């Protein structure tokens, strides 16, 4: 069982940066692939980024080059550094966890979810 707590969201202007954090409970955190998803009002929850326990990463095309996912297994925490934010990045951001080393991009592949943190980017 893994419990996830998201934090770090806020209201920023276009072009600004934010760093989201996700703290995980459980002693087997390092064996999980971790991901970030986001959901804007009236839209489906969509994949943003994922990182395996060995550090392999993948990103959605819409954030590639602007967002960076990382993890600190000693702290049971993952991060999402978001730079050059755009109004279309406005959404509730969720971290998620799934067992194994394969990078997953489908939300139904993830077993555990954080409560979400709101990111709002004004133009």
């Amino acid at each position: 069982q893994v419990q996830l707590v998201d934090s770090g969201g806020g209201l920023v202007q276009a072009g600004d940066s934010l760093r989201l954090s996700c703290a995980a409970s459980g002693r087997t955190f390092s064996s999980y692939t971790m991901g970030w998803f986001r959901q804007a009002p009236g839209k489906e929850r969509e994949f943003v980024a994922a990182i395996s326990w060995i550090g392999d990463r993948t990103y959605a095309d819409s954030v590639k080059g602007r967002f960076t996912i990382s993890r600190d297994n000693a702290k049971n925490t993952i991060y999402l550094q978001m730079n050059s934010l755009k109004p279309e990045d406005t959404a509730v951001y969720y971290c998620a966890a799934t067992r194994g080393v394969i990078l997953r991009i489908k939300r139904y592949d993830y077993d555990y979810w954080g409560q979400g943190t709101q990111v709002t980017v004004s133009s």
Side-chain angles (χ1 to χ4, degrees):
Q1 190 82 2
V2 175
Q3 291 184 323
L4 305 174
V5 179
D6 310 318
S7 63
L11 172 63
V12 297
Q13 293 187 330
D16 286 350
S17 298
L18 270 178
R19 189 176 80 157
L20 305 183
S21 300
C22 174
S25 65
R27 290 176 290 180
T28 59
F29 169 77
S30 61
S31 65
Y32 283 79
T33 285
M34 303 296 295
W36 285 100
F37 288 75
R38 66 187 182 186
Q39 188 166 16
K43 294 189 176 181
E44 295 287 320
R45 190 170 299 188
E46 65 175 5
F47 171 76
V48 175
I51 185 167
S52 73
W53 69 274
I54 58 173
D56 293 331
R57 298 169 173 85
T58 190
Y59 298 92
D61 288 342
S62 59
V63 306
K64 205 171 291 184
R66 299 188 298 122
F67 290 11
T68 302
I69 189 171
S70 61
R71 67 189 296 161
D72 185 335
N73 288 336
K75 295 182 178 179
N76 280 13
T77 301
I78 67 165
Y79 305 96
L80 185 68
Q81 177 66 43
M82 306 186 294
N83 298 329
S84 302
L85 282 161
K86 304 175 181 180
E88 51 264 44
D89 294 319
T90 295
V92 178
Y93 284 70
Y94 299 88
C95 72
T98 181
R99 278 195 173 275
V101 300
I102 297 175
L103 290 170
R104 306 286 187 183
I105 64 171
K106 302 292 186 182
R107 61 179 182 174
Y108 52 75
D109 285 327
Y110 286 78
D111 303 306
Y112 305 101
W113 291 85
Q115 82 286 359
T117 185
Q118 176 71 48
V119 173
T120 303
V121 185
S122 63
S123 58

